[in-house]
Amino acid sequence: MEIFGKKEEGNKNTSESKDEDSSSGKYGEQCSLCGKAPTDKHWAGQYFHKKCFRRMKKGAKGMI
């Protein structure tokens, strides 16, 4: 596994098959940002996907 540079072809297939919005999640609630279920993260009384939570944090950082 290389941190920088060209990725190996074997790792390409495994990363594409993993989808963060897949049917496996910790919570059966809808995401507060995109509205899809199931979700992975519970924070401040709301539920988020990991991807949506990162997007929300980056957006809030620009407001400060």
Side-chain angles (χ1 to χ4, degrees), residues 4-38:
F4 299 105
K6 187 176 180 181
K7 292 184 180 180
E8 296 177 15
E9 291 182 18
N11 292 340
K12 184 178 180 183
N13 293 337
T14 57
S15 64
E16 288 178 356
S17 63
K18 184 181 177 186
D19 187 16
E20 292 186 27
D21 295 334
S22 66
S23 61
S24 63
K26 288 173 89 174
Y27 306 103
E29 302 290 328
Q30 290 183 342
C31 178
S32 297
L33 193 62
C34 69
K36 295 180 184 175

Side-chain angles (χ1 to χ4, degrees), residues 36-48:
K36 295 180 184 175
T39 54
D40 302 314
K41 185 91 172 154
H42 181 239
W43 183 76
Q46 297 178 339
Y47 296 90
F48 299 96

